[in-house]
Amino acid sequence: MSSSLASSTGKNGLAVLLAVCLAALALPISFTGGALAAHTISIEFKASAAQINWITNSFMLTFGSFMLPAGALADVYGRKRVFIGGVIVFAIGSLALDFAPGIVTLNLLRALQGAGAAAALAGGSAALAQEFTGHAQTRAFSMIGTTFGIGLALGPLLSGSLIERFGWRSIFLTGTLLDVMALAIALTVMRETRNPDSARFDWPGALSFIAALGFLTLGLNQAPERGWADPAVLGAFSLSAGALAVFAIIETHIKHPLLELSLFRYGRFVGVQILPIATCYAYVVLLILLPLRFVGVEGYSEMDAGLLMLALSAPMLAVPAIAGMLAKTIPASRLAGGGLIAAAAGLFWLSQIGSGGPMSGLFGPLLLIGVGTGFPWGLMDGLSVTVVPRDKAGMASGIFNTTKVASEGITLAMVNALLASLVLFAVRQNIAGEGTAQYVGEAARQLAAGNLDKSAGMLAPMGRAALTGVYDSAFSMLLYVLVTVTLAAAAAVLVLLSPRRETSPGKDCVVQE
């Protein structure tokens, strides 16, 4: 670790940082590993397509919805206590996954993992803010970002190797081992701190926020199976909207809100919130969708799929740091916007490559997407606290982290639902001349979830080649949507993050480009 990290307000700052980084490393490995193992898990447990989607959605739902409340809990009840509790919950959930008897139990344990991950990350970040100050604090938090980059880059390769050698359950044991090490260090060196100015915890705000995300994810996951106009789906969306309205009312009338909505009057702050959403559509969703395609549709081994995913994720090891250095001379709006445009170009390139081609043909577009996304990825954390008044920086960071994590879960649910709908539409178009299939809906959802074998068994009249063509067509259409969203986000970033956007931010507002 850099010597610049040695300046700490506590005696054990570096050890605390190591504990938080070990806990943080377990999160992306669990995230990418679950996606790579989904095909094998679905075969072993004979899971439906919706159950396969919940392998990721359940983790991301609780991770995203508990992040904001966990940060507030850490301030009120103690940062160490929340971090330790989160690490223990994550470790227990990971260990229990090794003995999961079925898909329902597995998905419930994945949700438990997500809740523990939120508490560990929120509590650990808050603890680090008490251990380091000034430039040392910036470097400490950048180490967490680097740790996430390492996990995202090496997670698929590590998971692929573990699955082939020891089976899919071994990838979750990795999370347990990392968290046990983090726990042993934290119990010894981490000191307990609280925010003396924190009021009682905002339970109504927290519960309404969790309900809003939960019902939205439920509706998105049910829509491909039931139909978008189904009363249950519309009811879930309505409940989500109602919970969100309640949350907004609570937060505008409470003295110490979980979310200070007034920050959204800063145009550049709004622009920063677009960055994690854009990277979700351009990059994060591919971490889930591509392993399903590579293993379940194209027939690659988990190891080969991990190698392909390395082309997408490896740039995260270096590009964010390069972006930070370039930002000293090039406006961050141009770096982030330009990176998103490059990622959109990579997505379009990928849309032109169907299944069955040479493995080497996929490296180019995946690398371009990873490099392009690395620019906004490396800038957005710093920007989140430099575009608002200094006294709002803490709240701004909390909002940004919540946006980043919550948007991942919502985006994954939306994209999975869209792909399933596109595949279902294409299957129905192609099977019209083959007679009536008995399980068209479930077969299409299985295909969208990357289970070509099961789909072909249900739709024998079509054949594997036709189903592969249906999948390729739907996947390309999905990528066109992702290209459009990414380009729209790039345009918004170039406008909203322009230094001229805030004509008079005030003397207490830190504006960096």
Side-chain angles (χ1 to χ4, degrees):
M1 299 210 179
S2 171
S3 59
S4 64
L5 285 170
S7 61
S8 165
T9 59
K11 296 180 179 180
N12 301 303
L14 292 177
V16 172
L17 176 60
L18 177 60
V20 176
C21 285
L22 285 171
L25 181 61
L27 308 186
I29 290 177
S30 177
F31 177 68
T32 58
L36 201 61
H39 179 70
T40 304
I41 293 172
S42 69
I43 294 174
E44 179 175 332
F45 291 148
K46 299 179 175 60
S48 69
Q51 290 171 329
I52 296 171
N53 288 335
W54 277 112
I55 294 174
T56 299
N57 287 346
S58 57
F59 178 87
M60 294 308 304
L61 171 61
T62 52
F63 189 20
S65 59
F66 279 70
M67 179 65 72
L68 190 62
L73 282 171
D75 286 340
V76 176
Y77 297 108
R79 284 91 181 215
K80 178 180 179 179
R81 181 175 298 175
V82 170
F83 175 75
I84 294 296
V87 168
I88 291 175
V89 168
F90 187 90
I92 291 175
S94 300
L95 181 62
L97 281 165
D98 293 316
F99 304 98
I103 189 65
V104 174
T105 303
L106 183 141
N107 285 337
L108 289 174
L109 290 172
R110 287 285 282 169
L112 183 66
Q113 265 193 321
L121 187 58
S125 298
L128 283 182
Q130 308 307 308
E131 293 292 336
F132 297 94
T133 58
H135 182 64
Q137 185 181 90
T138 302
R139 293 296 301 273
F141 276 90
S142 72
M143 287 296 298
I144 297 181
T146 300
T147 299
F148 264 89
I150 293 172
L152 289 174
L154 302 182
L157 191 61
L158 173 63
S159 299
S161 177
L162 289 173
I163 291 170
E164 289 198 355
R165 290 173 180 269
F166 306 109
W168 63 266
R169 296 174 189 269
S170 62
I171 61 176
F172 299 115
L173 185 60
T174 303
T176 302
L177 295 176
L178 288 170
D179 271 25
V180 166
M181 290 188 287
L183 182 63
I185 297 172
L187 286 172
T188 304
V189 303
M190 187 177 285
R191 58 196 176 99
E192 185 61 278
T193 60
R194 295 179 178 84
N195 183 355
D197 297 324
S198 290
R200 293 192 305 173
F201 182 67
D202 177 18
W203 285 108
L207 293 176
S208 59
F209 181 76
I210 292 171
L213 292 184
F215 283 119
L216 177 59
T217 304
L218 180 63
L220 290 170
N221 207 54
Q222 286 183 324
E225 179 178 359
R226 294 176 173 268
W228 291 90
D230 183 84
V233 174
L234 294 177
F237 289 150
S238 298
L239 289 171
S240 175
L244 185 61
V246 170
F247 175 73
I249 293 171
I250 292 172
E251 298 308 289
T252 53
H253 289 82
I254 197 171
K255 186 176 180 180
H256 298 285
L258 285 176
L259 185 68
E260 190 168 334
L261 299 177
S262 64
L263 285 176
F264 287 92
R265 64 187 175 88
Y266 295 94
R268 301 187 78 235
F269 180 73
V270 174
V272 172
Q273 309 314 304
I274 293 175
L275 293 177
I277 297 173
T279 57
C280 283
Y281 282 97
Y283 175 75
V284 174
V285 295
L286 298 182
L287 297 174
I288 303 301
L289 296 180
L290 289 180
L292 295 174
R293 168 181 165 174
F294 293 153
V295 177
V297 177
E298 300 203 46
Y300 289 117
S301 68
E302 283 84 0
M303 188 65 181
D304 285 341
L307 287 171
L308 280 171
M309 295 302 294
L310 190 61
L312 176 68
S313 55
M316 287 298 172
L317 293 174
V319 176
I322 295 173
M325 292 186 290
L326 291 176
K328 297 176 182 178
T329 56
I330 302 173
S333 58
R334 296 179 186 174
L335 289 173
L340 291 175
I341 292 172
L347 288 168
F348 181 78
W349 185 0
L350 182 62
S351 72
Q352 307 304 301
I353 302 175
S355 302
M359 184 174 170
S360 59
L362 292 163
F363 284 107
L366 294 180
L367 188 62
L368 181 58
I369 295 168
V371 171
T373 311
F375 281 92
W377 193 282
L379 299 172
M380 56 190 184
D381 288 271
L383 286 172
S384 67
V385 295
T386 61
V387 295
V388 297
R390 286 188 177 90
D391 61 345
K392 303 289 187 182
M395 178 64 74
S397 177
I399 293 173
F400 170 78
N401 286 327
T402 300
T403 300
K404 181 166 63 173
V405 176
S407 61
E408 289 176 357
I410 294 172
T411 301
L412 283 170
M414 291 177 65
V415 170
N416 280 329
L418 178 58
L419 179 59
S421 298
L422 290 171
V423 171
L424 178 58
F425 176 78
V427 167
R428 284 175 173 165
Q429 292 293 106
N430 281 267
I431 205 168
E434 302 287 351
T436 303
Q438 187 176 3
Y439 303 110
V440 172
E442 178 60 20
R445 290 186 290 273
Q446 288 285 350
L447 181 59
N451 198 334
L452 177 60
D453 291 336
K454 190 168 185 178
S455 180
M458 292 179 171
L459 298 177
M462 286 188 65
R464 292 177 63 90
L467 284 171
T468 301
V470 164
Y471 180 89
D472 286 346
S473 176
F475 199 87
S476 292
M477 186 63 67
L478 174 67
L479 289 175
Y480 295 150
V481 174
L482 299 184
V483 168
T484 302
V485 173
T486 304
L487 289 176
V493 165
L494 288 170
V495 173
L496 291 173
L497 288 183
S498 169
R500 297 182 296 275
R501 179 67 187 179
E502 301 291 353
T503 55
S504 57
K507 64 180 180 179
D508 293 327
C509 186
V510 183
V511 178
Q512 291 183 356
E513 279 287 355

